[in-house]
Amino acid sequence: MSIHRINLLLLSAICLLFIKANINAQLHNTAKEDSLYHQNCLIQFGEKLLNYLTFENEKYVLVIYPSGGYSQRTGLEAGIMPVISWMDANSIHQHQTRINTLSASLQVSTKKMFEIKSDLEWFISENWQMHSKFSYLSLNDRYWDAHSNESFFENIEFKLRRINWEAQIHRQLPRHLHAGIITSILNQNNNWQTEFPQVSGLKGGFIAGTGPSFLFDSRNHVLFPRQGWFITTSGIFHHQMLGSDFDFNKWLTDVRYYANRGKSTFAFQYFTEYVTGDVPFFSLPNLGGTDRLRGTGHSRRIIDNSIQFIRAEFRTPLWWRFGFVAFAEAGVAGNAFRVDLEDAITSFGGGLRFRILPDEPLNIRFDVGFSSDGHNGMYISLKEAF
């Protein structure tokens, strides 16, 4: 075979490979264009659907969503959740980082839960802000004794009805500092189904308390911070002089840090809650739940006079209004304010986020967590865990 024939064959092979590569590239581009087309169609369909649930004008945005969820304590939940957000001149002056929001929900569940609750975040003026929570809850619940006690009374059924209101108001001081007061009112009635333990707060009671609260807030956004610090500490003193049936004190400290890494965010938190005095069992700090260790199952399964936990989250956008979160957590509970790492419970998991407001990062979150003591939890709720 001559060298010219070899060259001709090589040239023909190169041409065929080039033609094939070109065809494959065209097919790939066509498939990519088709994929983008279908994605755009899905986005347009989703936006049109959300438009039917969104009412917006120059002053406010109102979104009304069907809501649902699941937890070991409540069972399968269903309901409705309206959320309204608005901005005033002060919010605009703060470069749109402070958004006033009022969220509410009405929920029922397969475990005969009925719950109405609201959460208000209101920046009243340039120097004043208020955070208020209200809830009414009727639920067939279960009782667990304090984590540090060796008790025969565990997993006992009872019916509770509770009204709870808590409010914090702060005035801004220089350099991100705020000072104010926190007030808490709770009225609970308990109806025991079977043999019941002799504990403080057996039949329920009325609780009223107030105290000082201090806040340091350098976050770049209140709904979905990506940079800065949030540190708050408060003391709530419950006393008969305020009409309370129980005399006890509660101290809370919450430290959070957010680090921006491109489109993603790393978030860290240390939290502690400590009570002393005649504390009814239903006011003991709990380690689990949707805003604490998410792998512990029933939110009241681990309670005691003192709880502490640390955790970290990785948050990143996925597509359209969806995002993803991975988290790791560890916490301890005991009858005194101390850290015993041998008794620590770890929790890890992940979840999806869906932005419900058209222009602001207010998310519905879907979280699944697993704990080191063999329990797990699944939660659907509004806003980030921290």
Side-chain angles (χ1 to χ4, degrees):
M1 184 181 293
S2 67
I3 188 68
H4 297 290
R5 189 174 180 182
I6 293 174
N7 289 338
L8 183 60
L9 289 173
L10 288 174
L11 182 61
S12 300
I14 292 172
C15 290
L16 288 173
L17 289 173
F18 177 79
I19 293 171
K20 183 179 180 181
N22 189 48
I23 292 173
N24 288 338
Q26 291 180 1
L27 291 173
H28 176 74
N29 290 334
T30 302
K32 186 176 181 180
E33 290 175 0
D34 288 342
S35 176
L36 291 174
Y37 172 77
H38 291 307
Q39 288 184 29
N40 289 332
C41 287
L42 284 173
I43 291 174
Q44 291 175 11
F45 174 76
E47 293 291 351
K48 287 181 179 179
L49 182 62
L50 292 175
N51 284 339
Y52 288 107
L53 305 173
T54 304
F55 306 88
E56 184 176 6
N57 64 22
E58 295 179 355
K59 297 182 179 180
Y60 68 87
V61 177
L62 171 64
V63 183
I64 302 177
Y65 277 97
S67 62
Y70 173 84
S71 72
Q72 204 173 70
R73 186 185 190 190
T74 62
L76 188 64
E77 303 174 17
I80 188 171
M81 181 180 63
V83 179
I84 185 170
S85 68
W86 71 97
M87 295 180 61
D88 51 28
N90 172 58
S91 300
I92 297 173
H93 178 70
Q94 295 293 329
H95 307 291
Q96 300 185 352
T97 63
R98 309 204 303 184
I99 311 299
N100 303 308
T101 58
L102 173 61
S103 61
S105 67
L106 188 154
Q107 300 272 107
V108 295
S109 82
T110 54
K111 292 190 175 181
K112 298 182 179 180
M113 179 198 78
F114 177 78
E115 183 181 43
I116 300 173
K117 62 182 179 180
S118 66
D119 190 334
L120 172 66
E121 190 86 31
W122 183 19
F123 296 91
I124 304 171
S125 68
E126 185 175 353
N127 294 322
W128 291 91
Q129 62 181 356
M130 178 181 182
H131 185 198
S132 175
K133 293 182 178 181
F134 171 83
S135 67
Y136 169 81
L137 175 64
S138 175
L139 175 66
N140 291 326
D141 207 359
R142 293 182 178 273
Y143 169 84
W144 277 270
D145 206 352
H147 186 64
S148 57
N149 291 347
E150 293 184 3
S151 173
F152 295 103
F153 298 106
E154 290 189 356
N155 209 15
I156 302 174
E157 294 183 353
F158 70 101
K159 175 82 172 184
L160 73 83
R161 288 185 176 88
R162 180 174 68 209
I163 296 176
N164 188 23
W165 176 75
E166 181 178 291
Q168 301 179 54
I169 186 166
H170 290 99
R171 191 189 192 286
Q172 184 168 345
L173 303 175
R175 298 184 64 83
H176 305 298
L177 292 174
H178 304 73
I181 60 172
I182 179 171
T183 300
S184 177
I185 295 175
L186 184 150
N187 187 67
Q188 179 159 322
N189 178 267
N190 301 323
N191 182 18
W192 297 88
Q193 310 292 323
T194 58
E195 182 183 3
F196 51 82
Q198 297 298 322
V199 294
S200 179
L202 176 66
K203 295 297 184 180
F206 178 77
I207 296 174
T210 190
S213 179
F214 300 94
L215 171 66
F216 177 88
D217 189 357
S218 65
R219 296 173 298 173
N220 66 327
H221 203 285
V222 296
L223 294 179
F224 192 88
R226 303 192 63 209
Q227 194 72 40
W229 289 86
F230 177 87
I231 304 171
T232 180
T233 184
S234 60
I236 308 176
F237 306 99
H238 307 81
H239 198 274
Q240 293 180 357
M241 293 175 54
L242 300 173
S244 179
D245 294 332
F246 306 90
D247 289 348
F248 67 98
N249 304 319
K250 178 185 294 187
W251 288 269
L252 301 98
T253 298
D254 188 350
V255 180
R256 310 177 188 181
Y257 175 68
Y258 305 91
N260 183 9
R261 294 295 182 267
K263 293 183 178 181
S264 301
T265 303
F266 288 93
F268 306 90
Q269 181 186 30
Y270 166 76
F271 181 90
T272 180
E273 184 176 353
Y274 178 49
V275 293
T276 59
D278 179 22
V279 189
F281 77 91
F282 52 84
S283 289
L284 287 174
N286 57 295
L287 190 61
T290 182
D291 295 323
R292 301 193 177 187
L293 296 194
R294 283 161 279 184
T296 56
H298 194 291
S299 59
R300 300 294 297 175
R301 186 175 63 86
I302 303 174
I303 58 174
D304 219 314
N305 289 74
S306 172
I307 64 100
Q308 300 178 72
F309 62 83
I310 57 172
R311 56 183 170 180
E313 278 195 357
F314 171 74
R315 305 169 180 173
T316 190
L318 286 179
W319 169 75
W320 185 37
R321 296 192 182 198
F322 287 96
F324 171 76
V325 165
F327 59 84
E329 310 164 320
V332 294
N335 60 1
F337 184 77
R338 67 174 186 270
V339 177
D340 187 355
L341 296 180
E342 293 183 358
D343 197 32
I345 297 173
T346 58
S347 172
F348 67 94
L352 292 175
R353 300 294 181 266
F354 181 78
R355 178 172 54 84
I356 64 173
L357 294 180
D359 300 314
E360 296 298 336
L362 179 63
N363 291 332
I364 293 178
R365 59 187 176 99
F366 308 80
D367 285 338
V368 177
F370 305 88
S371 68
S372 57
D373 61 355
H375 291 80
N376 60 77
M378 182 174 73
Y379 306 94
I380 303 176
S381 60
L382 188 67
K383 296 184 179 179
E384 299 303 318
F386 64 96

